[in-house]
Amino acid sequence: MNESATLPVAVLHLDESCLGNGQDGATPGGAGGLIEVATRSGVQRRDFYLHAADTTNNRMALAGAIAALQLLGGKGQRLRVLIVSDSEYLVKGMREWVPDWAARGWKRKGGQIENLPLWQQLVHSAGKHDVQWTWVRGHKGHAKNEYADQLAVRAATAQVTSDGAVESGFSEWLEAQRAKGLYEGYDPDAQYRALAERVARGEKIPMSG
């Protein structure tokens, strides 16, 4: 049996925020994510978020993914990880651009690689797990992406970073959304299991999965 086939599966929903894009002065940013893993008692969820005083959306997308993978690797356990993000820069970069850049000695045909140290750090962090990357369109009613967006915006606005992975507020957030008439038929546990089972079977998740 393939050794990776026995590894636990984690699904991460990530988003990023940058305030004041296109304006003069500093552009504070944030990133956040919802981490989901299966336990004997059900689906366990944790949140994380981080901030930067002056940044870009692209840098925060990379920083958020790095932070998430480092949190997962904190105990030295290798996992099968599916990262779901609305950042095409992050997802397309890891799926398509990075292999070519690395093969050329971290160079690209069109000149320097933007945010090169972050890309290299992300590759190092991803190497501790079996990671797949998939893209979801942002602000289209995907519950877990909307929740991750809220974490990122709050981190950017308040300039706060979580103390590692913390207790998730997703269930309370979802109940509040349902009180507004949203996500009434949505089952977050079933959605996690459907994605985790695809990863567990060894399925190659497409770019837009």
Side-chain angles (χ1 to χ4, degrees):
M1 178 183 294
N2 184 344
E3 182 180 351
S4 67
T6 64
L7 299 176
V9 177
V11 178
L12 278 56
H13 299 267
L14 308 183
D15 209 339
E16 69 288 329
S17 175
C18 189
L19 308 178
N21 278 332
Q23 300 178 12
D24 293 335
T27 53
L34 175 65
I35 301 170
E36 300 181 303
V37 296
T39 68
R40 292 180 180 178
S41 59
V43 180
Q44 183 182 79
R45 294 186 172 90
R46 293 288 184 269
D47 297 344
F48 78 95
Y49 44 90
L50 61 149
H51 75 281
D54 189 15
T55 187
T56 66
N57 269 316
N58 287 345
R59 287 205 296 268
M60 292 314 299
L62 296 174
I66 291 166
L69 290 167
Q70 289 179 344
L71 284 171
L72 290 180
K75 295 183 179 179
Q77 183 180 23
R78 191 173 185 87
L79 302 171
R80 286 173 292 178
V81 180
L82 176 63
I83 290 183
V84 184
S85 170
D86 64 6
S87 169
E88 284 190 279
Y89 178 76
L90 171 66
V91 174
K92 187 173 287 188
M94 288 301 288
R95 290 180 67 103
E96 300 177 12
W97 305 337
V98 161
D100 289 341
W101 293 342
R104 297 193 189 103
W106 288 100
K107 297 178 181 178
R108 59 187 288 265
K109 292 180 180 179
Q112 293 185 339
I113 298 171
E114 180 188 45
N115 301 317
L116 176 57
L118 288 173
W119 283 114
Q120 291 175 323
Q121 188 177 358
L122 179 54
V123 169
H124 175 74
S125 298
K128 298 178 181 179
H129 304 284
D130 293 354
V131 186
Q132 294 196 65
W133 308 81
T134 191
W135 175 80
V136 63
R137 188 175 297 279
H139 307 294
K140 290 294 182 180
H142 300 283
K144 293 170 186 176
N145 175 257
E146 296 290 349
Y147 180 68
D149 176 69
Q150 176 182 282
L151 294 175
V153 171
R154 185 173 64 192
T157 303
Q159 288 289 278
V160 292
T161 294
S162 62
D163 184 14
V166 298
E167 183 175 352
S168 180
F170 176 75
S171 294
E172 293 77 9
W173 176 87
L174 184 59
E175 286 304 310
Q177 299 303 305
R178 286 172 173 163
K180 302 174 185 177
L182 302 172
Y183 307 118
E184 291 178 335
Y186 176 70
D187 185 339
D189 289 356
Q191 193 257 3
Y192 162 78
R193 287 192 294 268
L195 286 174
E197 287 169 4
R198 292 172 67 186
V199 174
R201 289 196 302 267
E203 181 179 336
K204 298 299 183 184
I205 308 299
M207 169 74 182
S208 180

